Amino acid sequence: MSPHTKLYIPGPVEVSEKTLRALSQPMIAHRSSRFRELYAAIHVKLQALFETEQPVFLSTSSAWGVMEASIRNLVNKKVLNCMCGAFSDKWFDVSKRCGKEAESLQVEWGQPIRPQDVEAKLREGGFDAVTLVHNETSCGVKNPLQEIAAVVRKFPEVLLIVDTVSSFSTESIPMDELGIDVLLTGSQKALALPPGLAIFSVSQRAFERAVSVPARGYYFDFLEFKNNQSRNMTPTTPTLPHIYALQSKLEDIFNEGLEKRYARHRHLNSLVHDWVRHNGFEFFAPEGYRSISLTCVTNNRKVDITAWIERLREKHHMVIDGGYGKLKGKTFRISNMGDETEESITRMLMALSDTLKAA
Ligand SMILES: *Cc1c(COP(=O)(O)O)cnc(C)c1O
């Protein structure tokens, strides 16, 4: 068998041996007291991570399930989709496909969403929801969430839906304090679990809105999730292996400690940034708006990225990403999410230098 290729792409990220073992525990009945105890035990920890008193839900879907569900559950009038990259752009498309009225606030890929632009747009009136991708994985931009949340809070009718798929648990995101109405994440990025589970929390205001929104469907109905969670259950049969893996991951997270985990991500990200500067590359996102869980690098040295990554794979059994969609070849992306350590990031950066030379 060929050796395992370690993933340094920004999702899916490398999954630890401990997590892989957790996935393979025997199944239990999802209406049994054992499952309910399991959910109750992880729920307390999830609330601490989400920094919320609201219920936290487990969705057997990828993140897009909950991203689409947020539109279907909460938009009666019109949604403002803030767009600065592939995932945030797609959300606008999804809003329209759900048959909702939607407007876009588009900035160039690589640029952040500016709070004053959100405010100007909301002042035009008619909106009842805003979508924001906190950490735009496709181009390494971290949007100013706190400032944007403060703007949205000036409009009592407008709900704030935030995707933290690639930033969740890499820094503090205080849902209740910021007044976020839906906070959602997926399993395969910042949490370093296999793909297939989404985790989200919903504010009281958002539940009240959902009651008034017709055609919420069943599978992703927020009120179904709420009803079931109150009895420590999920609406449908959940992906039990992921929930075991999440239990194991939450153990890891709280054993490390939140502040240490956040500091580790900042530190590992700074090692990548040092490498970028040292090797004469530039950052795709402007200073102050760069992600701390991944780095999107401009290919200003005009390296043949595909050939470089192939050498990296062949010689060192590692991969980074060669650019998302229209940024392919123009940028490359390096993840420092999940369980990476100073040792594992340093080893990867040395391998990058080694294989870059031949470029
Ligand atoms: C990967 C990603 C998604 C989509 O996740 P799926 O698991 O494919 O549904 C959404 N938002 C962001 C920011 C992402 O990085």
Side-chain angles (χ1 to χ4, degrees):
M1 216 174 87
S2 54
H4 170 64
T5 300
K6 186 168 174 195
L7 301 176
Y8 288 95
I9 58 173
V13 307
E14 193 67 14
V15 174
S16 72
E17 291 291 331
K18 175 174 182 269
T19 299
L20 291 175
R21 280 195 304 276
L23 282 164
S24 60
Q25 295 170 74
M27 293 306 114
I28 53 177
H30 67 292
R31 304 291 179 212
S32 66
S33 58
R34 276 187 65 199
F35 177 79
R36 292 159 73 153
E37 282 157 20
L38 170 62
Y39 190 1
I42 65 176
H43 191 261
V44 184
K45 291 181 179 173
L46 287 172
Q47 281 184 316
L49 258 186
F50 275 77
E51 300 183 49
T52 189
E53 313 253 291
Q54 290 300 110
V56 182
F57 305 128
L58 307 170
S59 172
T60 297
S61 68
S62 79
W64 271 115
V66 178
M67 291 164 80
E68 176 168 331
S70 300
I71 303 293
R72 289 189 181 277
N73 276 268
L74 303 179
V75 179
N76 260 334
K77 292 180 179 162
K78 185 165 63 170
V79 58
L80 178 66
N81 299 113
C82 300
M83 295 154 66
C84 62
F87 295 103
S88 47
D89 284 15
K90 181 85 187 165
W91 219 342
F92 178 52
D93 180 41
V94 169
S95 302
K96 289 182 292 183
R97 290 197 201 193
C98 291
K100 303 288 185 176
E101 252 199 84
E103 274 193 49
S104 63
L105 172 59
Q106 176 91 67
V107 298
E108 211 181 306
W109 281 28
Q111 295 302 308
I113 300 294
R114 301 190 319 164
Q116 60 269 39
D117 293 345
V118 177
E119 176 146 11
K121 204 72 198 156
L122 292 180
R123 287 217 180 283
E124 291 174 12
F127 294 99
D128 60 359
V130 170
T131 67
L132 179 74
V133 171
H134 177 221
N135 199 56
E136 185 38 272
T137 319
S138 61
C139 44
V141 168
K142 186 154 81 85
N143 283 307
L145 174 58
Q146 198 175 338
E147 290 79 356
I148 293 170
V151 162
V152 178
R153 287 289 67 82
K154 293 185 196 171
F155 300 84
E157 244 204 304
V158 181
L159 299 175
L160 177 60
I161 305 161
V162 183
D163 163 337
T164 63
V165 173
S166 60
S167 55
F168 182 76
S169 84
T170 69
E171 64 177 283
S172 164
I173 303 172
M175 173 172 162
D176 289 358
E177 190 188 309
L178 297 182
I180 294 170
D181 294 293
V182 178
L183 187 65
L184 70 98
T185 190
S187 51
Q188 77 274 24
K189 295 189 189 165
L191 285 171
L193 301 173
L197 176 72
I199 311 168
F200 68 108
S201 183
V202 176
S203 74
Q204 198 46 48
R205 286 167 5 116
F207 287 127
E208 283 159 21
R209 170 73 57 79
V211 173
S212 74
V213 179
R216 297 187 305 279
Y218 165 66
Y219 192 74
F220 287 117
D221 181 0
F222 286 178
L223 301 179
E224 284 286 346
F225 275 97
K226 184 169 188 270
N227 255 331
N228 278 276
Q229 186 280 329
S230 68
R231 291 166 291 139
N232 295 309
M233 290 192 291
T234 51
T236 60
T237 319
T239 174
L240 292 164
H242 280 93
I243 296 173
Y244 292 138
L246 176 62
Q247 177 186 38
S248 159
K249 178 56 60 184
L250 288 167
E251 254 170 47
D252 299 346
I253 291 175
F254 286 95
N255 283 343
E256 180 177 17
L258 293 185
E259 288 311 319
K260 275 197 177 152
R261 180 175 171 88
Y262 301 153
R264 173 167 61 83
H265 282 86
R266 288 193 301 274
H267 174 59
L268 299 183
N269 190 248
S270 77
L271 296 178
V272 178
H273 280 215
D274 289 347
W275 183 92
V276 169
R277 290 192 194 90
H278 185 76
N279 285 277
F281 285 110
E282 287 157 14
F283 298 96
F284 193 63
E287 173 127 48
Y289 301 98
R290 292 175 192 149
S291 163
I292 57 160
S293 62
L294 73 129
T295 308
C296 185
V297 186
T298 304
N299 185 16
N300 52 293
R301 285 181 53 180
K302 306 271 187 288
V303 172
D304 180 344
I305 294 178
T306 310
W308 177 27
I309 295 175
E310 208 37 55
R311 285 194 298 279
L312 183 68
R313 184 200 303 273
E314 286 283 311
K315 188 167 173 196
H316 297 280
H317 312 296
M318 297 173 183
V319 277
I320 59 166
D321 172 83
Y324 194 104
K326 66 184 181 190
L327 297 177
K328 192 170 160 58
K330 297 191 174 81
T331 61
F332 55 94
R333 298 179 302 159
I334 304 167
S335 164
N336 61 275
M337 293 177 212
D339 305 320
E340 300 306 336
T341 61
E342 179 161 325
E343 198 266 332
S344 73
I345 290 290
T346 305
R347 193 149 32 88
M348 177 268 298
L349 294 173
M350 283 167 65
L352 286 186
S353 298
D354 177 49
T355 46
L356 183 60
K357 276 183 221 140

